[in-house]
């Protein structure tokens, strides 16, 4: 599975499962980039075959509804579903 890495200054691991056509996903990516947060993401809808199945199963292990964006934060594996920027900021100890 090939995640795309976006550089930033975050000391907390952030993984974003997104869709390339999703406005909420784009809003979340923009927020992380504006805040200078390093993160890895994968646009699940751009995958196919067994890779798609494997990644989507992983998404559902964090978020049983399988909806997007699904954000996994830190070693504690805090999961935030949707573009809940206030929750993301709190989890990353950011000021809005």
């Amino acid at each position: 599975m090939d995640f795309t890495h976006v550089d930033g200054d975050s000391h907390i691991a952030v993984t974003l499962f997104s869709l390339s056509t999703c406005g909420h996903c784009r809003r979340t990516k923009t927020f992380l980039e504006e805040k200078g947060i390093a993160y890895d993401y994968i646009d699940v809808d751009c995958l196919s075959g067994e890779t798609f199945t494997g990644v989507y199963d992983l998404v559902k292990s964090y978020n049983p509804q399988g909806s997007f964006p699904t954000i996994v934060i830190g070693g504690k594996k805090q999961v935030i579903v949707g573009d809940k920027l206030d929750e993301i900021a709190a989890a990353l100890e950011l000021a809005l």
Side-chain angles (χ1 to χ4, degrees):
M1 132 179 45
D2 293 324
F3 284 85
T4 300
H5 179 75
V6 177
D7 286 328
D9 296 326
S10 179
H11 61 282
I12 300 173
V14 177
T15 304
L16 171 64
F17 296 93
S18 59
L19 300 175
S20 64
T21 58
C22 170
H24 298 286
C25 300
R26 280 193 301 275
R27 183 174 175 218
T28 301
K29 290 175 183 176
T30 298
F31 174 78
L32 293 171
E33 290 168 25
E34 286 175 351
K35 294 295 184 180
I37 302 300
Y39 68 99
D40 294 311
Y41 76 91
I42 192 162
D43 287 329
V44 179
D45 60 324
C46 293
L47 305 174
S48 60
E50 291 180 19
T51 303
F52 170 83
T53 302
V55 172
Y56 193 57
D57 286 346
L58 181 59
V59 170
K60 290 190 294 185
S61 75
Y62 293 119
N63 167 15
Q65 293 89 9
S67 55
F68 297 93
T70 295
I71 305 106
V72 182
I73 299 175
K76 294 181 182 176
K77 301 292 186 200
Q78 180 177 357
V79 177
I80 299 171
V81 178
D83 62 343
K84 299 173 185 162
L85 305 184
D86 55 340
E87 289 183 32
I88 296 168
L92 295 171
E93 301 174 358
L94 300 173
L96 287 177

Coordinates of all heavy atoms in Angstrom, one line a residue:
M1 N 0.9 -1.2 0.0 CA 0.0 0.0 0.0 C 0.9 1.2 0.0 O 1.8 1.3 0.8 CB -0.9 -0.2 1.2 CG -1.2 0.9 2.1 SD -2.3 0.5 3.5 CE -1.9 -1.1 4.0
D2 N 0.7 2.1 -0.9 CA 1.5 3.3 -1.1 C 0.8 4.6 -0.6 O -0.1 5.1 -1.2 CB 1.9 3.5 -2.6 CG 2.8 2.4 -3.1 OD1 3.6 1.9 -2.3 OD2 2.6 2.0 -4.2
F3 N 1.2 5.0 0.6 CA 0.7 6.3 1.1 C 1.5 7.4 0.5 O 2.7 7.3 0.3 CB 0.8 6.3 2.6 CG -0.2 5.4 3.3 CD1 0.0 4.1 3.5 CD2 -1.4 6.0 3.8 CE1 -0.9 3.3 4.2 CE2 -2.3 5.2 4.4 CZ -2.1 3.9 4.6
T4 N 0.9 8.6 0.4 CA 1.6 9.8 0.0 C 1.9 10.5 1.3 O 1.1 10.7 2.1 CB 0.7 10.6 -0.9 OG1 0.4 9.9 -2.1 CG2 1.4 11.9 -1.3
H5 N 3.1 11.0 1.4 CA 3.6 11.8 2.6 C 3.5 13.3 2.3 O 4.0 13.7 1.2 CB 5.0 11.3 3.0 CG 5.4 12.1 4.2 ND1 5.0 11.8 5.5 CD2 6.3 13.1 4.4 CE1 5.5 12.6 6.3 NE2 6.4 13.4 5.7
V6 N 3.0 14.0 3.2 CA 3.0 15.5 3.2 C 3.9 15.9 4.3 O 3.6 15.6 5.5 CB 1.6 16.1 3.3 CG1 1.7 17.6 3.3 CG2 0.8 15.6 2.1
D7 N 5.0 16.7 4.0 CA 5.9 17.1 5.1 C 5.2 18.2 6.0 O 4.4 19.0 5.5 CB 7.2 17.7 4.5 CG 8.1 16.6 3.9 OD1 8.1 15.5 4.5 OD2 8.8 16.9 2.9
G8 N 5.7 18.2 7.2 CA 5.3 19.2 8.2 C 6.1 19.1 9.4 O 7.0 18.3 9.5
D9 N 5.6 19.8 10.5 CA 6.4 19.8 11.7 C 5.8 18.9 12.8 O 6.2 19.0 13.9 CB 6.5 21.2 12.2 CG 7.2 22.1 11.3 OD1 8.2 21.6 10.7 OD2 6.9 23.3 11.2
S10 N 4.8 18.1 12.5 CA 4.1 17.3 13.5 C 5.0 16.3 14.1 O 5.7 15.6 13.5 CB 2.8 16.7 12.9 OG 2.2 15.9 13.9
H11 N 4.8 16.1 15.4 CA 5.6 15.1 16.2 C 4.6 13.9 16.4 O 5.0 12.9 17.0 CB 6.1 15.6 17.5 CG 5.0 16.1 18.4 ND1 4.4 17.3 18.2 CD2 4.4 15.5 19.5 CE1 3.5 17.5 19.2 NE2 3.5 16.4 19.9
I12 N 3.4 14.0 16.0 CA 2.4 12.9 16.1 C 2.1 12.3 14.7 O 1.9 13.0 13.8 CB 1.1 13.5 16.7 CG1 1.4 14.1 18.1 CG2 0.1 12.4 16.9 CD1 0.2 14.8 18.7
A13 N 2.1 11.0 14.7 CA 1.8 10.3 13.4 C 0.3 10.6 13.0 O -0.6 10.4 13.9 CB 2.1 8.8 13.5
V14 N 0.1 11.0 11.8 CA -1.3 11.2 11.3 C -1.4 10.5 10.0 O -0.6 10.7 9.1 CB -1.5 12.7 11.1 CG1 -2.9 13.0 10.5 CG2 -1.4 13.5 12.4
T15 N -2.4 9.6 9.9 CA -2.7 8.9 8.7 C -4.2 9.3 8.3 O -5.1 9.2 9.1 CB -2.6 7.4 8.9 OG1 -1.3 7.1 9.3 CG2 -2.8 6.7 7.6
L16 N -4.3 9.6 7.0 CA -5.6 10.0 6.5 C -6.1 9.1 5.4 O -5.3 8.9 4.4 CB -5.5 11.5 6.0 CG -6.7 12.0 5.2 CD1 -8.0 12.1 6.1 CD2 -6.4 13.4 4.7
F17 N -7.2 8.5 5.6 CA -7.8 7.7 4.5 C -8.9 8.5 3.9 O -9.8 9.0 4.6 CB -8.4 6.4 5.1 CG -7.4 5.5 5.7 CD1 -7.1 5.5 7.1 CD2 -6.7 4.6 4.9 CE1 -6.2 4.7 7.6 CE2 -5.8 3.7 5.5 CZ -5.5 3.8 6.8
S18 N -8.7 8.8 2.6 CA -9.6 9.7 1.9 C -10.1 9.2 0.5 O -9.7 8.2 0.1 CB -8.8 11.1 1.7 OG -7.7 10.9 1.0
L19 N -10.9 10.0 -0.1 CA -11.3 9.8 -1.5 C -10.9 11.0 -2.3 O -11.0 12.2 -1.8 CB -12.9 9.7 -1.5 CG -13.5 8.5 -0.7 CD1 -15.0 8.6 -0.8 CD2 -13.0 7.2 -1.2
S20 N -10.5 10.8 -3.5 CA -9.9 11.9 -4.3 C -11.0 12.9 -4.7 O -10.7 14.0 -5.0 CB -9.3 11.3 -5.6 OG -10.3 10.7 -6.4
T21 N -12.3 12.5 -4.7 CA -13.4 13.4 -5.1 C -14.2 14.0 -3.9 O -15.1 14.6 -4.2 CB -14.3 12.6 -6.0 OG1 -14.8 11.5 -5.3 CG2 -13.7 12.1 -7.3
C22 N -13.7 13.7 -2.7 CA -14.5 14.1 -1.5 C -14.1 15.5 -1.0 O -12.9 15.8 -0.7 CB -14.2 13.1 -0.4 SG -14.8 13.5 1.2
G23 N -15.1 16.4 -1.0 CA -14.9 17.7 -0.5 C -14.4 17.8 1.0 O -13.6 18.6 1.4
H24 N -15.0 16.9 1.8 CA -14.6 16.9 3.2 C -13.2 16.4 3.4 O -12.4 16.9 4.2 CB -15.6 15.9 4.0 CG -17.0 16.4 4.0 ND1 -17.4 17.4 4.7 CD2 -18.0 15.9 3.3 CE1 -18.7 17.6 4.5 NE2 -19.1 16.7 3.6
C25 N -12.8 15.5 2.5 CA -11.4 15.0 2.5 C -10.4 16.1 2.1 O -9.4 16.3 2.8 CB -11.2 13.8 1.6 SG -12.3 12.4 2.0
R26 N -10.8 16.8 1.1 CA -9.9 18.0 0.6 C -9.8 19.0 1.7 O -8.8 19.6 1.9 CB -10.5 18.6 -0.7 CG -10.1 17.8 -1.9 CD -10.4 18.6 -3.2 NE -11.8 19.0 -3.3 CZ -12.8 18.2 -3.8 NH1 -12.5 17.0 -4.2 NH2 -14.0 18.6 -3.9
R27 N -11.0 19.3 2.4 CA -10.9 20.3 3.5 C -10.0 19.8 4.6 O -9.3 20.7 5.2 CB -12.4 20.5 4.0 CG -12.5 21.5 5.1 CD -13.9 21.7 5.4 NE -14.0 22.7 6.6 CZ -14.9 22.6 7.5 NH1 -15.8 21.6 7.5 NH2 -14.9 23.4 8.5
T28 N -10.0 18.6 4.9 CA -9.2 18.0 6.0 C -7.7 18.1 5.6 O -6.8 18.5 6.4 CB -9.5 16.6 6.3 OG1 -10.9 16.5 6.7 CG2 -8.7 16.0 7.4
K29 N -7.4 17.8 4.3 CA -6.0 17.9 3.8 C -5.5 19.3 3.9 O -4.4 19.6 4.3 CB -5.9 17.4 2.4 CG -6.0 15.9 2.3 CD -6.0 15.5 0.8 CE -6.2 14.0 0.6 NZ -6.3 13.6 -0.8
T30 N -6.4 20.3 3.4 CA -6.0 21.7 3.4 C -5.8 22.2 4.9 O -4.8 22.9 5.1 CB -7.1 22.5 2.8 OG1 -7.2 22.1 1.4 CG2 -6.8 24.0 2.8
F31 N -6.6 21.7 5.8 CA -6.4 22.1 7.2 C -5.1 21.6 7.7 O -4.4 22.4 8.4 CB -7.6 21.6 8.0 CG -7.4 21.8 9.5 CD1 -7.7 23.0 10.1 CD2 -7.0 20.7 10.3 CE1 -7.6 23.2 11.4 CE2 -6.9 20.9 11.7 CZ -7.2 22.2 12.3
L32 N -4.8 20.4 7.5 CA -3.5 19.8 8.0 C -2.3 20.6 7.4 O -1.4 20.9 8.1 CB -3.4 18.3 7.7 CG -4.4 17.4 8.5 CD1 -4.4 16.0 7.9 CD2 -4.1 17.5 10.0
E33 N -2.4 20.8 6.1 CA -1.3 21.5 5.4 C -1.2 23.0 5.9 O 0.0 23.4 6.2 CB -1.5 21.5 3.9 CG -1.3 20.1 3.4 CD -1.7 19.9 1.9 OE1 -1.8 20.9 1.2 OE2 -2.1 18.8 1.6
E34 N -2.3 23.7 6.1 CA -2.2 25.1 6.6 C -1.7 25.1 8.0 O -1.0 26.1 8.4 CB -3.6 25.7 6.6 CG -4.1 26.0 5.2 CD -5.5 26.6 5.2 OE1 -6.2 26.5 6.2 OE2 -5.9 27.0 4.1
K35 N -1.9 24.1 8.8 CA -1.4 24.0 10.2 C 0.0 23.4 10.3 O 0.6 23.4 11.3 CB -2.3 23.2 11.1 CG -3.7 23.8 11.3 CD -3.6 25.1 12.1 CE -4.9 25.7 12.4 NZ -4.8 26.9 13.1
G36 N 0.6 23.1 9.1 CA 2.0 22.6 9.1 C 2.1 21.2 9.6 O 3.2 20.8 10.1
I37 N 1.1 20.4 9.6 CA 1.1 19.0 10.1 C 1.6 18.0 9.1 O 1.0 18.0 8.0 CB -0.3 18.6 10.6 CG1 -0.8 19.6 11.7 CG2 -0.3 17.2 11.1 CD1 0.0 19.7 12.9
A38 N 2.6 17.2 9.4 CA 3.0 16.1 8.5 C 2.0 15.0 8.6 O 1.5 14.7 9.7 CB 4.4 15.6 9.0
Y39 N 1.6 14.5 7.5 CA 0.7 13.4 7.5 C 0.9 12.5 6.3 O 1.5 12.9 5.3 CB -0.8 13.9 7.6 CG -1.2 14.6 6.3 CD1 -2.0 13.9 5.4 CD2 -1.0 15.9 6.1 CE1 -2.5 14.6 4.2 CE2 -1.4 16.6 5.0 CZ -2.2 16.0 4.1 OH -2.6 16.6 3.0
D40 N 0.4 11.3 6.4 CA 0.4 10.3 5.3 C -1.1 10.1 4.9 O -2.0 10.1 5.7 CB 1.0 9.0 5.7 CG 2.5 9.1 6.0 OD1 3.2 9.7 5.2 OD2 2.9 8.6 7.1
Y41 N -1.3 10.0 3.6 CA -2.7 9.8 3.1 C -2.7 8.8 1.9 O -1.7 8.7 1.3 CB -3.4 11.1 2.8 CG -3.0 11.7 1.4 CD1 -3.7 11.4 0.3 CD2 -2.0 12.6 1.3 CE1 -3.3 12.0 -0.9 CE2 -1.6 13.2 0.2 CZ -2.3 12.8 -1.0 OH -1.9 13.4 -2.2
I42 N -3.9 8.3 1.8 CA -4.1 7.4 0.6 C -5.5 7.7 0.1 O -6.5 7.7 1.0 CB -3.9 5.9 1.0 CG1 -3.8 5.1 -0.3 CG2 -4.9 5.4 2.0 CD1 -3.2 3.7 -0.1
D43 N -5.7 7.9 -1.1 CA -7.0 8.1 -1.8 C -7.5 6.7 -2.1 O -7.1 6.1 -3.1 CB -6.9 9.0 -3.0 CG -6.7 10.5 -2.6 OD1 -7.2 10.9 -1.5 OD2 -6.1 11.2 -3.4
V44 N -8.4 6.2 -1.3 CA -8.8 4.8 -1.4 C -9.5 4.5 -2.8 O -9.4 3.5 -3.3 CB -9.7 4.4 -0.2 CG1 -10.2 3.0 -0.3 CG2 -9.0 4.6 1.1
D45 N -10.2 5.5 -3.3 CA -10.9 5.3 -4.6 C -10.0 5.2 -5.8 O -10.4 4.8 -6.8 CB -12.0 6.4 -4.8 CG -11.4 7.8 -4.9 OD1 -10.4 8.1 -4.1 OD2 -11.9 8.6 -5.6
C46 N -8.7 5.5 -5.6 CA -7.8 5.4 -6.7 C -7.1 4.0 -6.7 O -6.3 3.7 -7.5 CB -6.7 6.5 -6.5 SG -7.4 8.1 -6.8
L47 N -7.5 3.1 -5.8 CA -6.9 1.8 -5.7 C -7.8 0.8 -6.4 O -9.0 1.1 -6.7 CB -6.8 1.4 -4.2 CG -6.0 2.3 -3.3 CD1 -6.1 1.9 -1.9 CD2 -4.6 2.4 -3.8
S48 N -7.3 -0.4 -6.7 CA -8.2 -1.4 -7.3 C -7.8 -2.8 -6.8 O -6.7 -2.9 -6.2 CB -8.0 -1.3 -8.8 OG -6.7 -1.5 -9.2
G49 N -8.6 -3.7 -7.1 CA -8.3 -5.1 -6.8 C -8.1 -5.4 -5.3 O -8.7 -4.9 -4.4
E50 N -7.1 -6.3 -5.1 CA -6.8 -6.7 -3.7 C -6.2 -5.5 -2.9 O -6.4 -5.5 -1.7 CB -5.7 -7.8 -3.8 CG -6.3 -9.1 -4.3 CD -5.2 -10.2 -4.3 OE1 -4.2 -10.1 -3.6 OE2 -5.5 -11.2 -5.1
T51 N -5.6 -4.6 -3.5 CA -5.1 -3.4 -2.8 C -6.2 -2.6 -2.2 O -6.2 -2.2 -1.0 CB -4.2 -2.5 -3.6 OG1 -3.1 -3.3 -4.2 CG2 -3.6 -1.4 -2.8
F52 N -7.2 -2.4 -3.1 CA -8.4 -1.6 -2.6 C -9.1 -2.4 -1.4 O -9.4 -1.8 -0.4 CB -9.4 -1.5 -3.7 CG -10.8 -1.0 -3.2 CD1 -11.0 0.4 -3.0 CD2 -11.8 -1.8 -2.9 CE1 -12.2 0.9 -2.5 CE2 -13.0 -1.4 -2.5 CZ -13.2 0.0 -2.3
T53 N -9.3 -3.7 -1.6 CA -9.9 -4.5 -0.6 C -9.2 -4.5 0.7 O -9.8 -4.3 1.8 CB -10.1 -6.0 -1.1 OG1 -10.8 -6.0 -2.3 CG2 -10.8 -6.8 0.0
G54 N -7.8 -4.6 0.7 CA -7.0 -4.6 1.9 C -7.1 -3.3 2.6 O -7.2 -3.2 3.8
V55 N -7.0 -2.2 1.8 CA -7.0 -0.8 2.4 C -8.4 -0.5 3.0 O -8.5 0.0 4.1 CB -6.5 0.2 1.5 CG1 -6.7 1.6 2.0 CG2 -5.0 0.0 1.1
Y56 N -9.4 -0.9 2.2 CA -10.8 -0.6 2.7 C -11.1 -1.4 4.0 O -11.7 -0.9 4.9 CB -11.8 -0.8 1.6 CG -13.1 -0.2 2.0 CD1 -13.3 1.1 2.3 CD2 -14.3 -1.0 2.0 CE1 -14.5 1.6 2.6 CE2 -15.5 -0.5 2.3 CZ -15.6 0.8 2.6 OH -16.8 1.4 3.0
D57 N -10.6 -2.6 4.0 CA -10.8 -3.4 5.3 C -10.0 -2.8 6.4 O -10.6 -2.8 7.6 CB -10.2 -4.9 5.1 CG -11.1 -5.7 4.2 OD1 -12.3 -5.3 4.0 OD2 -10.7 -6.8 3.7
L58 N -8.9 -2.2 6.2 CA -8.2 -1.4 7.2 C -9.0 -0.2 7.7 O -9.1 0.0 8.9 CB -6.8 -1.0 6.7 CG -5.9 -0.3 7.7 CD1 -5.6 -1.1 8.9 CD2 -4.6 0.1 7.0
V59 N -9.5 0.5 6.7 CA -10.4 1.7 7.1 C -11.5 1.2 8.0 O -11.8 1.8 9.0 CB -10.9 2.3 5.8 CG1 -12.0 3.4 6.2 CG2 -9.8 3.0 5.0
K60 N -12.2 0.1 7.6 CA -13.3 -0.4 8.4 C -12.9 -0.9 9.8 O -13.7 -0.9 10.7 CB -14.1 -1.4 7.6 CG -14.8 -0.8 6.5 CD -15.8 -1.8 5.8 CE -15.1 -2.9 5.1 NZ -16.0 -3.8 4.4
S61 N -11.6 -1.3 9.9 CA -11.1 -1.7 11.3 C -11.1 -0.5 12.2 O -11.2 -0.7 13.4 CB -9.8 -2.4 11.2 OG -8.7 -1.5 10.9
Y62 N -10.8 0.7 11.6 CA -10.8 1.9 12.4 C -12.2 2.5 12.5 O -12.6 3.2 13.5 CB -9.9 2.9 11.8 CG -8.4 2.6 11.9 CD1 -7.7 2.4 10.7 CD2 -7.8 2.4 13.1 CE1 -6.3 2.1 10.8 CE2 -6.4 2.1 13.1 CZ -5.7 1.9 12.0 OH -4.4 1.6 12.0
N63 N -13.0 2.4 11.4 CA -14.3 3.1 11.3 C -15.2 2.1 10.6 O -15.2 2.0 9.4 CB -14.0 4.3 10.4 CG -15.3 5.0 9.9 OD1 -16.4 4.7 10.4 ND2 -15.2 5.8 8.9
P64 N -16.0 1.4 11.4 CA -16.8 0.3 10.9 C -17.8 0.8 9.8 O -18.2 0.0 9.0 CB -17.6 -0.2 12.1 CG -16.7 0.1 13.3 CD -16.0 1.4 12.9
Q65 N -18.2 2.1 9.8 CA -19.0 2.6 8.7 C -18.3 2.7 7.4 O -18.9 2.8 6.3 CB -19.6 3.9 9.0 CG -20.6 3.9 10.2 CD -19.9 4.1 11.5 OE1 -18.7 4.4 11.6 NE2 -20.6 3.9 12.6
G66 N -17.0 2.7 7.4 CA -16.2 2.8 6.2 C -16.4 4.1 5.4 O -16.3 4.1 4.2
S67 N -16.6 5.2 6.2 CA -16.8 6.5 5.6 C -15.5 7.3 5.6 O -14.6 6.9 6.2 CB -17.9 7.2 6.3 OG -17.6 7.3 7.7
F68 N -15.6 8.4 4.8 CA -14.4 9.2 4.6 C -14.7 10.7 4.9 O -15.8 11.1 4.7 CB -13.9 9.1 3.2 CG -13.5 7.7 2.9 CD1 -14.4 6.8 2.3 CD2 -12.2 7.2 3.1 CE1 -14.1 5.5 2.0 CE2 -11.9 5.9 2.8 CZ -12.8 5.0 2.3
P69 N -13.6 11.4 5.3 CA -12.3 11.0 5.7 C -12.3 10.2 7.0 O -13.1 10.5 7.9 CB -11.5 12.3 5.8 CG -12.5 13.3 6.2 CD -13.8 12.9 5.5
T70 N -11.4 9.3 7.1 CA -11.1 8.6 8.4 C -9.6 9.0 8.7 O -8.7 8.7 7.9 CB -11.2 7.1 8.2 OG1 -12.6 6.8 8.0 CG2 -10.8 6.4 9.5
I71 N -9.4 9.6 9.9 CA -8.1 10.1 10.3 C -7.7 9.3 11.5 O -8.5 9.2 12.5 CB -8.2 11.6 10.7 CG1 -8.8 12.4 9.5 CG2 -6.8 12.1 11.1 CD1 -10.1 12.9 9.7
V72 N -6.5 8.7 11.5 CA -5.9 8.0 12.6 C -4.8 8.8 13.1 O -3.8 9.1 12.4 CB -5.5 6.6 12.1 CG1 -4.9 5.8 13.3 CG2 -6.6 5.8 11.5
I73 N -4.8 9.1 14.4 CA -3.8 10.0 15.0 C -3.1 9.3 16.1 O -3.7 8.8 17.1 CB -4.5 11.3 15.6 CG1 -5.2 12.0 14.4 CG2 -3.5 12.2 16.3 CD1 -6.0 13.2 14.8
G74 N -1.8 9.4 16.1 CA -0.9 9.0 17.1 C -0.8 7.5 17.5 O -1.5 6.7 16.9
G75 N 0.1 7.2 18.4 CA 0.3 5.8 18.8 C -1.0 5.3 19.5 O -1.1 4.0 19.5
K76 N -1.8 6.1 20.1 CA -3.0 5.6 20.7 C -4.1 5.3 19.7 O -5.2 4.8 20.0 CB -3.6 6.7 21.7 CG -2.7 7.0 22.8 CD -3.3 8.0 23.7 CE -2.4 8.4 24.9 NZ -2.9 9.4 25.7
K77 N -3.8 5.6 18.4 CA -4.8 5.3 17.3 C -6.1 6.0 17.6 O -7.1 5.3 17.4 CB -4.9 3.8 17.2 CG -3.7 3.0 16.8 CD -3.1 3.4 15.5 CE -1.9 2.6 15.1 NZ -1.1 3.1 14.1
Q78 N -6.1 7.2 18.0 CA -7.3 8.0 18.1 C -7.9 8.1 16.7 O -7.2 8.5 15.7 CB -7.0 9.4 18.7 CG -8.3 10.2 18.8 CD -8.1 11.5 19.5 OE1 -7.0 11.8 19.9 NE2 -9.1 12.3 19.5
V79 N -9.1 7.9 16.5 CA -9.8 7.9 15.2 C -10.8 9.0 15.2 O -11.7 9.1 16.1 CB -10.4 6.5 14.9 CG1 -11.2 6.6 13.5 CG2 -9.4 5.4 14.8
I80 N -10.8 9.8 14.1 CA -11.7 10.9 13.9 C -12.3 10.6 12.5 O -11.6 10.5 11.6 CB -11.1 12.3 14.0 CG1 -10.5 12.5 15.4 CG2 -12.2 13.4 13.7 CD1 -9.7 13.8 15.6
V81 N -13.6 10.6 12.5 CA -14.3 10.4 11.2 C -15.0 11.7 10.8 O -15.7 12.3 11.6 CB -15.4 9.2 11.3 CG1 -16.1 9.0 10.0 CG2 -14.7 7.9 11.8
G82 N -14.7 12.1 9.6 CA -15.3 13.3 9.0 C -14.3 14.5 9.2 O -13.2 14.3 9.8
D83 N -14.7 15.6 8.6 CA -13.8 16.8 8.7 C -14.1 17.6 9.9 O -14.4 18.8 9.8 CB -13.9 17.6 7.4 CG -15.3 18.2 7.1 OD1 -16.3 17.7 7.7 OD2 -15.4 19.1 6.3
K84 N -14.0 17.0 11.1 CA -14.3 17.6 12.4 C -13.0 18.3 12.8 O -12.2 17.8 13.6 CB -14.7 16.6 13.4 CG -16.0 15.9 13.0 CD -16.3 14.8 13.9 CE -17.6 14.1 13.4 NZ -17.7 12.8 14.0
L85 N -12.8 19.5 12.2 CA -11.5 20.2 12.4 C -11.2 20.6 13.8 O -10.0 20.5 14.2 CB -11.5 21.5 11.5 CG -11.8 21.2 10.0 CD1 -11.6 22.5 9.2 CD2 -10.9 20.2 9.4
D86 N -12.2 20.8 14.6 CA -12.0 21.1 16.0 C -11.5 19.9 16.8 O -10.6 20.0 17.6 CB -13.3 21.7 16.7 CG -14.5 20.8 16.5 OD1 -14.5 19.9 15.6 OD2 -15.5 21.0 17.3
E87 N -12.0 18.7 16.4 CA -11.5 17.5 17.1 C -10.1 17.2 16.6 O -9.3 16.7 17.4 CB -12.5 16.3 16.8 CG -13.8 16.4 17.5 CD -14.7 15.2 17.2 OE1 -14.1 14.1 17.0 OE2 -15.9 15.4 17.2
I88 N -9.8 17.4 15.4 CA -8.5 17.1 14.8 C -7.5 18.1 15.5 O -6.5 17.6 16.0 CB -8.5 17.3 13.3 CG1 -9.4 16.3 12.6 CG2 -7.0 17.2 12.8 CD1 -9.6 16.6 11.1
A89 N -7.9 19.3 15.6 CA -7.0 20.3 16.3 C -6.7 19.9 17.7 O -5.6 20.0 18.2 CB -7.6 21.7 16.2
A90 N -7.8 19.5 18.4 CA -7.6 19.1 19.9 C -6.7 17.9 20.0 O -5.8 17.8 20.9 CB -9.0 18.8 20.5
A91 N -6.9 16.9 19.1 CA -6.1 15.7 19.2 C -4.6 16.0 18.9 O -3.7 15.3 19.4 CB -6.6 14.7 18.2
L92 N -4.4 17.0 18.0 CA -3.0 17.4 17.7 C -2.5 18.5 18.6 O -1.4 19.0 18.3 CB -2.9 17.8 16.2 CG -3.2 16.6 15.2 CD1 -3.4 17.2 13.8 CD2 -2.2 15.6 15.3
E93 N -3.3 19.0 19.5 CA -2.9 20.0 20.4 C -2.6 21.3 19.7 O -1.6 22.0 19.9 CB -1.8 19.6 21.3 CG -2.1 18.4 22.2 CD -0.9 17.9 23.0 OE1 0.2 18.4 22.9 OE2 -1.2 16.9 23.7
L94 N -3.5 21.7 18.7 CA -3.3 22.9 17.9 C -4.3 23.9 18.3 O -5.4 23.6 18.8 CB -3.6 22.5 16.4 CG -2.7 21.5 15.8 CD1 -3.3 21.2 14.4 CD2 -1.3 22.0 15.7
A95 N -4.0 25.1 18.1 CA -4.9 26.2 18.3 C -5.6 26.5 17.0 O -5.0 26.4 15.9 CB -4.2 27.5 18.7
L96 N -6.9 26.7 17.0 CA -7.6 27.0 15.8 C -7.5 28.5 15.6 O -7.5 29.1 14.8 CB -9.1 26.6 15.9 CG -9.4 25.1 15.8 CD1 -10.9 24.9 16.0 CD2 -9.0 24.6 14.5

